Every structure is written in C-alpha cells, then in structure tokens.
Amino acid sequence: MPSAWREVTIGEHQGLTAETEALSVTILPGVGGKMASFRSRGSGFEYLWQPPDGVYPVPEYGAQYGPEFATGFDECFPTLLACEYPAEPWKGVPIPDHGEVWALPWEWRVVEGALTLAVAGRGLPYRLAKAIQVEGEEVLLRYRLTNLSEEPLRWLWSAHPLFNLTPGLVVHVPGRPAMTVYESLGDALGAPGSLHRWPYAGEVDLALPAERELAAEKVFLSGLGEGRVVLHYTEMGEGVSIQFPQETLTGIGLWYNVRGWPAEAPHHNVGVEPCSEPHESLTDCRNVLAPGGEATWWMRWILFRWAPGRRAR
C-alpha cells in the first residue's frame, strides 16, 4: 500500500511528508510544489541539496532562478531559459527563467494514497498536475499536462532535482548517448555546442564528478537507448535509480556544480534532469500540444543498497 501523507511544518511553510521503512519524502506545495527532501531512513542520508541556512524562500513570479532557490527538486515548465513565446497567438509573451511553475503555489489534495498537486499557467493557458506515491523503496511521479486553449501550445518540461555530490559518487547512464555541451566553466568540456559521446568530453569523465576539482557546466544527452540514470554513492553503499519513458522524455540534462557556482558560496551538487527535449528554450522546441489536448509522462525513483567501496563501472 502507498504510504500515507501527513502535514508538517518546514520553517515558515506547510509541507507534506510520506515515510516508509526505507525512505521519507517531503513536498512544499506553496514553494513551487518543490520536493524539499528525499532521505534514506536506513542511512539517514539526504539525497537532495539543502539550503545552507535551512530557509526556503518563496519566489516571486518572474524571479531569476538564483542560488537561494537552487535546492531540492523543482519543475521547469514551459521553458528552461527565459524567452518570449515564439508563435501566435501568444507571440512575444515573456516566459520567466526556469519557467513559471517553480515560482507559483500548487494546489494539493490526497487521493487514494497519492499526493496530487496542480498549477495553472499565468502567461500561457495550461494546467500541469502531478501525483506522487511513496511505497517501499520507490517514489512514483505521474504527470498530466492539459492545454486549456483552442490553439496549439508549444511546451518544454524538465525535472530539476539537485543531488548532493559526495566522494565516490558515480553517475551511470546506459549506453553511449550523444552528448552536447550547453555551457562549461572555462570551456573545460569544449565550447557550447561541442559534441561528445557519454561519458567522455575529451579527457573528462563525466561519470565521476567527485574526482573533479572545479566545475560549473551543463550537457544534454540525446538518442537514449534507455530511460534511466543511476547515482551510485559507492562509499555509502546506497544509490538511487531514476527511470522514465524515453519515448516521451527524449533527453537528459546533466548539471555539474563542483564548487563552481555561485562564486561567493559555491554549491556541490549534480542535477539529473530528464526532459521532454534536449533544449533550453521554447524557440527550439518541437513539442506542440493540440487544442484541448493532454500529454502524460512519469518518473520513478528507486532507492537501493550498494556494496560499500565497490566501484560502479
């Protein structure tokens, strides 16, 4: 049976937590529907990057996604990069950085063991809903996007979880998908647009972020053979497998922040971002939702034990 959700207070926010013997999950509906915590109850390890001061500020609509907001797991929709909607009838409508929904409160209710959250667009006519179930070692997230207009709607969605980067972390992506550099501090992976094959960008092995001394970079993986990314925390003996339908979520964004951003108090995390397309802006996207149409997809996070000290290569 899915775990029951209970209301909790996190700082100044009302949240909801579900627990099993293996893990606990906390959601903040009023802070963009953020998953603030994904914690192993066996080891006590918190997988998601936490605010250093313990404060989750409430973003204003249109805010820049700065370091004070870069914690936990947010949703990016209907864009990642701030842009203007590129087509009629909403041509020129500004869409904020990292999209709209991370900076809007989500309505919520619990239905048959699932925490269901939903938010309506402000600049564009859509409704995005997600249902979260926690059971055993698994968290299942099911998404439904509805076009509320009588016009076709372009859209981009990306998960935006930031995982703690600890010694021994190994990032595993099945196969050798194509890898495109989006940005890289000091062009360590090559100039933007450089093409590689996972996991190597020249001599840099992106499967081993803990062996880097300094990095602030993002790459996109495309041509996926399997919808799966696995994080092996080898020194701790645990890991999390992130699974998704590669037919719908056709790309993976990987963000590496090895004490590279922000300059004054750099973070130390890895973003694993399954996405509808390996792009940042609506100007590049091909996904178009028919008038009154719906799109659905899912993600599954599975917590597992791993032999301590064993390399996952």
Side-chain angles (χ1 to χ4, degrees), residues 219-289:
V219 299
F220 278 112
L221 306 183
S222 58
L224 307 177
E226 187 175 341
R228 183 164 58 97
V229 181
V230 185
L231 301 180
H232 298 272
Y233 288 82
T234 57
E235 292 195 359
M236 186 176 61
E238 283 190 351
V240 57
S241 176
I242 301 166
Q243 302 174 1
F244 55 91
Q246 75 269 28
E247 299 84 4
T248 306
L249 304 182
T250 63
I252 302 170
L254 293 173
W255 160 251
Y256 294 90
N257 190 355
V258 187
R259 304 181 183 90
W261 177 87
E264 62 276 9
H267 294 182
H268 200 224
N269 52 40
V270 173
V272 178
E273 307 174 9
C275 52
S276 57
E277 297 181 62
H279 304 297
E280 290 265 327
S281 171
L282 282 175
T283 58
D284 301 316
C285 85
R286 303 189 191 99
N287 277 339
V288 178
L289 193 60

Side-chain angles (χ1 to χ4, degrees), residues 101-175:
V101 301
W102 72 274
L104 292 173
W106 294 51
E107 60 187 52
W108 67 271
R109 59 186 180 136
V110 177
V111 180
E112 297 181 351
L115 174 60
T116 301
L117 302 102
V119 63
R122 183 170 294 184
L124 298 173
Y126 63 82
R127 178 179 175 86
L128 180 63
K130 59 182 175 182
I132 308 173
Q133 285 185 308
V134 180
E135 186 171 0
E137 295 81 23
E138 299 187 10
V139 178
L140 175 64
L141 301 102
R142 292 175 285 118
Y143 294 86
R144 182 176 300 274
L145 168 65
T146 305
N147 181 353
L148 300 178
S149 79
E150 297 180 356
E151 301 287 342
L153 180 70
R154 296 191 187 194
W155 62 280
L156 279 173
W157 176 88
S158 176
H160 198 269
L162 297 169
F163 291 95
N164 279 303
L165 202 173
T166 67
L169 174 62
V170 177
V171 181
H172 173 68
V173 179

